Amino acid sequence: MNLFVAELWRFRSRRVVWVLLVVVLGAIALGMTVRAATSTHDASRTFIGVDGDCVDDLVVRGEFTGDTTPCEKLQFADDDRAKLRDLHAVLRGFGPVFVLLAITLAASCLGAEFGAASLSTQLLFEPRRVRVWVTKLSAVMVGVGVVIGVITAFLAGTYSLVAATRGTTEGVDRAWWSDRALDGARIVIACMLGAALGFAITAFARRTVAALGVFVGLFILEPLLYEVTDTFDARLPLWPLLTFVFDPFSEFDFSAENNFGLASLGDALLPPLVWTITLVALAGWRFRRAEIR
Amino acid sequence: MQAIEISGLRKTYRSARGVVNAVDGLDLAVGAGGVHGFLGANGAGKTTTIRALVGHLHATAGEIRLLGHSVPHDLPKVIDRVGALVEQPSFFPNFSGRRNLALLARSRGIPQTRVSAALDTVGLADRAGSRFATYSLGMKQRLGVAAVLLKDPEVLILDEPANGLDPPGILEMRTLLRRLGEEGRTVFVSSHILSEVEQTCDRVSVIAHGRLVRSGTVRELMAGGESRFAVSVPGGSAQLAAAAQALRRAGFDLEVTGDGQISVAVEGEAASRVTAALSATGIHLSLLMPIERTLEDAFLELTGTPPTAPVAAPAPPQQSSERRP
């Protein structure tokens, strides 16, 4: 427990954690200020003559009963208000950024250890390497989870504030809030998995930049591979992880084919989970046997 | 019980260029208490041995025991009683010295008050709040020693602790090591600064090519090997040459050192044979004096490096340096 507390303390003491946190929170605050300023509703051009709601709107509001009206036949009002019910889309949009942030934080945490060769000194205080490895990984995952949790909460909070003061909160009820809480939880889980992946990749490469390179490479490569093979990228970790964040599975027009062959949240979580466990175990085994310099 | 026991330690590195035995069947015993020097030339296997001692590398063969516990298997049982500094101290560059030590202390449940005490002991309290990256080599070395002291260890394993220290720092380090040894702790210190070892250590082990060459007190090491006497005779170079000839005829191995003296190898206490051989040819001595071997002489002799001409103890420094290539 002492070691875990010390690792958490170290994570908390790292300058890069605070710099990234301030930058991201600042960017969100700035973005929300702009959104508040541009949140407008021209009532004179509000849509009239509806002969039934569009299917998309009904699904979003959870009121879809099976009666359909083609969306293209509807006219929409000139309503650019910040709508609280769009928070789902806002969280989705930020998901990949948060996963990248998580990978960066985790990779830099271990990369700094290799850069400073501080593991050599630490192992003179705790020579049980497996314990050191597991503790470091756990502390980084928890630290990243907290950071991402704070950022997600800040994002949701500021957007809610903008919607409540300058936009609209209609169509929101307790069930909707539960769903958003699950969105946030999925983002945190995905980021913790991403952190573990970044940690393991850095352990192999001994450089922070390697994990970021792999992230960017997979971001580009996986869809290309899917185009070629129809299945291959679903076995790689990144896009399934992002799909887990996006959660397209409850959408009325969902198709697995358009989502890398993934049919459920479980499907999406499995590849990154398997990759994470495998890479973390291999990196840990290597660390246990490595000669420390 | 010995503080450190090493038997048959071997560490082999294999690469495309061949096989290298960094340590090749090393046997070593370090008793409890006092300062024990670990001497060897570069590449002799000192650091490899120390890294094996603290579990940083896996030995190819052999057995290591620290305070009676097998390493690396039982190292966790004994790690709280052992402090070590291996090569350059490694800490987080953007954390202060104090924070680096505080992290280590917290990881082991060591009270934070010990951090200040350790920093005071190594004379780093004033700069403890500065980033480690801004430290000089000597300050980094001090912080490394402070980290060793955090655990209040029974055994200290220090790899070149005086590296980078300025002369006052070296003096402080020497005093600290002596004090720790006198407190009953076992200080195992590798160094290539022979004068430091000579002044600091009670016992010394010398290794060469990964093997133990000699182990004993500093005095035993310096007394070992061939004893030599410096001989001077009155008169000029002709008299000196005559004396050398007489001694050669008497069977002595000698060397004319170029400063008007003859260095004669003498077995045991047979210095009287020198006076007898010279007086038999009518040459009288103006000086007959045992040449004190330094630890450096002993070290060079033991590690297989050709020893330089010995120096008479009272010889002035400039003459001394002239006689050494």
Side-chain angles (χ1 to χ4, degrees):
Chain A
M1 197 60 191
N2 282 327
L3 187 57
F4 181 74
V5 172
E7 286 298 328
L8 271 184
W9 192 39
R10 190 200 145 218
F11 184 86
R12 196 197 66 184
S13 304
R14 300 201 68 231
R15 199 169 42 184
V16 68
V17 171
W18 291 100
V19 168
L20 283 175
L21 189 62
V22 167
V23 166
V24 172
L25 293 183
I28 290 172
L30 182 66
M32 290 305 160
T33 305
V34 171
R35 185 69 188 95
T38 57
S39 178
T40 57
H41 181 210
D42 186 350
S44 64
R45 295 177 60 194
T46 301
F47 163 73
I48 52 172
V50 61
D51 57 314
D53 276 331
C54 166
V55 171
D56 284 354
D57 275 0
L58 289 170
V59 168
V60 167
R61 297 208 304 263
E63 297 167 1
F64 181 57
T65 59
D67 297 330
T68 61
T69 301
C71 290
E72 61 268 22
K73 288 191 177 177
L74 294 176
Q75 301 170 46
F76 290 96
D78 185 3
D79 184 0
D80 193 26
R81 288 176 299 174
K83 303 174 192 68
L84 186 54
R85 70 181 190 194
D86 289 345
L87 180 59
H88 176 56
V90 172
L91 291 174
R92 275 181 171 191
F94 275 89
V97 177
F98 290 172
V99 171
L100 177 61
L101 183 66
I103 290 174
T104 305
L105 285 174
S108 78
C109 205
L110 187 62
E113 299 249 22
F114 286 117
S118 54
L119 280 166
S120 153
T121 303
Q122 184 162 29
L123 289 173
L124 296 171
F125 282 72
E126 176 49 270
R128 286 169 287 200
R129 295 192 190 184
V130 173
R131 178 175 292 203
V132 169
W133 177 252
V134 171
T135 307
K136 279 187 183 299
L137 177 64
S138 311
V140 165
M141 288 178 72
V142 169
V144 165
V146 169
V147 168
I148 298 298
V150 166
I151 292 173
T152 306
F154 183 76
L155 175 66
T158 49
Y159 188 77
S160 301
L161 186 66
V162 169
T165 55
R166 299 275 303 161
T168 174
T169 58
E170 69 184 14
V172 170
D173 55 16
R174 181 171 291 191
W176 181 91
W177 276 113
S178 298
D179 288 344
R180 297 300 73 76
L182 288 175
D183 287 346
R186 278 201 322 278
I187 287 176
V188 170
I189 291 169
C191 286
M192 289 171 80
L193 271 180
L197 268 174
F199 192 86
I201 292 166
T202 306
F204 280 112
R206 296 174 179 246
R207 283 177 189 280
T208 304
V209 72
L212 302 180
V214 169
F215 176 90
V216 173
L218 288 177
F219 194 84
I220 297 165
L221 186 68
E222 285 186 25
L224 292 178
L225 282 173
Y226 186 70
E227 287 299 313
V228 175
T229 66
D230 277 357
T231 57
F232 187 74
D233 78 319
R235 294 173 197 159
L236 290 172
L238 186 60
W239 274 99
L241 188 66
L242 298 181
T243 307
F244 177 75
V245 172
F246 297 151
D247 184 19
F249 307 107
S250 58
E251 289 173 3
F252 82 98
D253 60 345
F254 168 76
S255 91
E257 194 178 334
N258 291 335
N259 286 280
F260 313 104
L262 303 167
S264 67
L265 282 173
D267 269 4
L269 191 58
L270 190 62
L273 197 61
V274 169
W275 272 97
T276 302
I277 291 171
T278 306
L279 286 179
V280 161
L282 283 174
W285 177 79
R286 187 166 177 253
F287 175 64
R288 183 172 169 268
R289 297 186 57 81
E291 298 201 344
I292 305 297
R293 293 187 179 276
Chain B
M1 183 183 67
Q2 304 280 10
I4 298 171
E5 293 172 84
I6 297 174
S7 59
L9 180 67
R10 178 171 289 111
K11 179 61 189 176
T12 303
Y13 291 102
R14 296 172 196 281
S15 69
R17 283 178 287 179
V19 176
V20 176
N21 286 322
V23 179
D24 190 11
L26 177 69
D27 297 306
L28 183 69
V30 178
V35 184
H36 192 112
F38 191 42
L39 282 179
N42 288 339
K46 298 189 302 294
T47 299
T48 305
T49 303
I50 287 178
R51 288 175 61 214
L53 258 176
V54 296
H56 278 190
L57 58 77
H58 305 284
T60 310
E63 192 181 351
I64 301 172
R65 300 185 82 80
L66 258 176
L67 293 167
H69 291 80
S70 175
V71 174
H73 189 262
D74 291 334
L75 189 58
K77 291 179 186 167
V78 79
I79 197 71
D80 286 332
R81 298 160 64 193
V82 177
L85 170 66
V86 184
E87 292 187 298
Q88 297 295 316
S90 307
F91 295 98
F92 295 111
N94 289 323
F95 286 0
S96 68
R98 182 180 296 280
R99 176 156 286 184
N100 269 298
L101 290 194
L103 273 172
L104 290 172
R106 184 167 284 195
S107 74
R108 214 53 206 169
I110 297 169
Q112 293 294 315
T113 50
R114 292 276 286 283
V115 172
S116 298
L119 287 165
D120 279 338
T121 303
V122 299
L124 209 54
D126 291 346
R127 290 291 307 276
S130 304
R131 288 167 61 229
F132 178 72
T134 64
Y135 284 8
S136 68
L137 183 58
M139 290 165 71
K140 288 176 179 174
Q141 206 71 8
R142 286 167 192 259
L143 190 67
V145 175
V148 171
L149 297 174
L150 268 184
K151 289 192 273 186
D152 194 18
E154 290 171 44
V155 176
L156 293 92
I157 299 168
L158 305 170
D159 191 9
E160 308 273 7
N163 245 4
L165 296 183
D166 51 14
I170 290 174
L171 183 63
E172 286 171 24
M173 184 65 68
R174 187 195 307 159
T175 308
L176 175 64
L177 296 186
R178 286 270 8 128
R179 198 189 80 208
L180 292 167
E182 284 161 12
E183 286 173 357
R185 302 172 205 268
T186 307
V187 183
F188 182 67
V189 54
S190 84
S191 179
H192 65 270
I193 306 173
L194 299 173
S195 59
E196 279 305 308
V197 172
E198 196 173 333
Q199 294 176 67
T200 312
C201 299
D202 306 304
R203 296 182 67 84
V204 177
S205 293
V206 180
I207 69 166
H209 310 296
R211 292 181 183 173
L212 183 71
V213 179
R214 182 77 65 87
S215 193
T217 63
V218 173
R219 186 170 291 278
E220 282 169 355
L221 249 70
M222 287 161 61
E226 185 183 62
S227 54
R228 298 186 82 90
F229 279 77
V231 174
S232 284
V233 292
S237 56
Q239 190 75 349
L240 190 70
Q245 196 177 8
L247 289 170
R248 278 200 190 93
R249 273 204 305 270
F252 286 103
D253 176 24
L254 60 86
E255 186 182 349
V256 178
T257 58
D259 60 347
Q261 290 189 345
I262 302 169
S263 168
V264 188
V266 179
E267 288 179 9
E269 299 297 320
S272 58
R273 286 180 49 224
V274 175
T275 55
L278 290 175
S279 62
T281 55
I283 299 172
H284 299 286
L285 290 165
S286 59
L287 173 77
L288 178 64
M289 184 180 186
I291 297 174
E292 239 177 60
R293 276 162 34 106
T294 61
L295 186 59
E296 186 176 1
D297 295 323
F299 172 78
L300 294 172
E301 202 174 294
L302 289 167
T303 56
T305 312
T308 54
V311 185
Q318 67 271 29
Q319 287 179 327
S320 166
S321 60
E322 279 170 11
R323 274 185 246 128
R324 290 171 191 278

